[in-house]
Amino acid sequence: MKILLTGGAGFIGSHTATVLIEKGYEIVILDDFSNSKPGAVARLEQIVGREIALEHVDLCEKTAVEDVFSRHKIDCVLHFAGLKAVGESVEKPLLYYENNLVGTLNLLHVMADMGVKKFVFSSSATVYDSRNPVPFMEEHSIGPVNPYGWTKSMIEQILLDLSASDPEWAVTLLRYFNPIGAHPSGLIGEDPQGIPNNLVPYVAKVAAGQLATIHIWGDDYDTPDGTGVRDYIHVMDLARGHLLAVEYLKTHKGCKVFNLGTGKGYSVKEVISAYEKACGKSLPAQIDARRAGDLATVYANVDLAEKELGFTAELGIEQMCADSWNWQKKSLVFDE
Ligand code: UD1
């Protein structure tokens, strides 16, 4: 089975690639390198010990996408590619809607034309209406609050409608919670451009001495220690979730939604102290005002993924921080 990974040079795509190759799948990576580097694919090749087919293509260029499908006999697509910075999406909504929606529509058109109808979509817990009680369940209502979240939810709807129109489609919508950590080799990991928005990449840079102080966005939430609680999931567990989704699609048609998280929440302070343990030093942190749009507590109900996909997250917060730190230290020497 040959699998196309759009955005396969990125954080989640590259880790998923290692798991798929290890299981014997053939893969093709398609990426426009707008938020990733060809060097990541070279290091991925080092991990798996073989060459990987790589297509430098922007999904918004439909003829280039057609060309990829005409040259590779693709059986299934894992669609990671997309712009994902929440703040930027608020400032540049047209860019987000255009890139994420047009790219996905081109991809789906070409797939339909070529008769390729297995699809795994990288969705996000951000699609849930925040008024739902935690833990969030797949049947809970949708209510994104920013353009990034809307693109995810609109693409989910497109895929639901497409599957309803043609029973040959087999689709899974994977709603990720907070993916962190890195490959145990330390050769690939999350590599955000500029100052990170997300907690763990920020903490990693403070640990590495590249940023001065962690900013804790609020300690007056209604949580045990007052700081925000999230469901962090190790990216290698998440990668395995994609493998299970691919296997599920072999026997299940239609469109199915799954949460991918651990079902457990950790506070900002707990994450910082796990990271301090991983890097062996105490990290400077200060309390600042709440970040607009943040919720007190978000975690997943993971029963459905366990029951239908056989997925359970195995790696805990200590391993997530240890692998993040291992990658952070090593990545300082990658010059690309
Ligand atoms: C964020 C996005 C979400 C996206 C997800 C991807 C927002 C509002 N949400 O989720 O749409 O799908 O990333 O992983 O941006 N925090 C700090 N200091 C920091 C950074 C974060 O205290 O420097 C806190 C936050 O207030 C939150 C927790 O750490 O309580 C996690 O934040 P973050 O890593 O940005 O993830 P989310 O906000 O859950």
Side-chain angles (χ1 to χ4, degrees), residues 13-265:
S14 61
H15 289 76
T16 302
T18 68
V19 172
L20 292 172
I21 291 170
E22 198 184 307
K23 264 277 170 179
Y25 288 98
E26 254 192 89
I27 69 156
V28 177
I29 287 181
L30 179 157
D31 210 297
D32 69 354
F33 296 111
S34 58
N35 192 30
S36 59
K37 294 172 186 151
V41 180
R43 283 179 268 111
L44 176 57
E45 288 177 329
Q46 211 179 314
I47 293 172
V48 299
R50 70 157 89 152
E51 239 180 87
I52 292 172
L54 175 63
E55 299 285 350
H56 186 163
V57 163
D58 178 347
L59 288 175
C60 291
E61 313 257 342
K62 192 170 173 213
T63 50
V65 180
E66 282 166 343
D67 181 53
V68 170
F69 276 80
S70 70
R71 284 183 290 103
H72 299 277
K73 215 202 136 314
I74 304 294
D75 301 293
C76 174
V77 175
L78 269 54
H79 183 35
F80 300 98
L83 298 176
K84 58 164 192 162
V86 173
E88 186 185 46
S89 81
V90 175
E91 284 160 30
K92 301 174 184 167
L94 295 180
L95 173 71
Y96 270 66
Y97 285 115
E98 170 143 0
N99 183 82
N100 291 4
L101 293 173
V102 173
T104 305
L105 287 168
N106 284 343
L107 179 62
L108 292 171
H109 268 299
V110 174
M111 288 178 68
D113 289 347
M114 305 293 278
V116 181
K117 296 183 178 178
K118 289 190 175 66
F119 196 81
V120 177
F121 177 55
S122 298
S123 191
S124 167
T126 205
V127 301
Y128 286 112
D129 187 326
S130 62
R131 288 165 297 188
N132 286 302
V134 286
F136 288 165
M137 302 183 76
E138 288 83 352
E139 73 233 35
H140 280 170
S141 57
I142 294 305
V145 290
N146 54 61
Y148 158 71
W150 276 111
T151 67
K152 292 293 178 193
S153 132
M154 287 175 181
I155 293 167
E156 285 197 357
Q157 188 61 45
I158 290 168
L159 289 163
L160 277 165
D161 292 339
L162 182 61
S163 308
S165 75
D166 174 355
E168 287 305 307
W169 280 89
V171 177
T172 57
L173 312 177
L174 304 181
R175 291 183 182 153
Y176 309 155
F177 281 68
N178 292 58
I180 60 166
H183 191 269
S185 66
L187 287 170
I188 53 172
E190 189 169 11
D191 186 16
Q193 286 172 5
I195 296 177
N197 296 310
N198 297 120
L199 178 65
V200 172
Y202 199 102
V203 171
K205 290 210 181 298
V206 172
Q210 295 176 317
L211 290 169
T213 306
I214 301 165
H215 298 271
I216 298 176
W217 305 127
D219 70 346
D220 56 353
Y221 284 103
D222 184 15
T223 60
D225 66 17
T227 66
V229 169
R230 294 292 182 276
D231 186 337
Y232 298 93
I233 176 169
H234 196 298
V235 66
M236 293 308 294
D237 272 332
L238 193 63
R240 201 167 38 80
H242 289 77
L243 167 71
L244 294 170
V246 167
E247 289 175 349
Y248 181 85
L249 292 184
K250 293 177 186 168
T251 50
H252 295 78
K253 294 207 166 125
C255 184
K256 194 94 184 179
V257 190
F258 295 107
N259 285 341
L260 290 183
T262 64
K264 284 193 274 293

Side-chain angles (χ1 to χ4, degrees), residues 286-307:
Q286 69 185 54
I287 309 294
D288 285 293
R290 290 182 179 194
R291 181 172 69 179
D294 273 353
L295 301 176
T297 304
V298 176
Y299 61 98
N301 176 300
V302 290
D303 293 349
L304 195 65
E306 186 175 350
K307 183 165 159 266

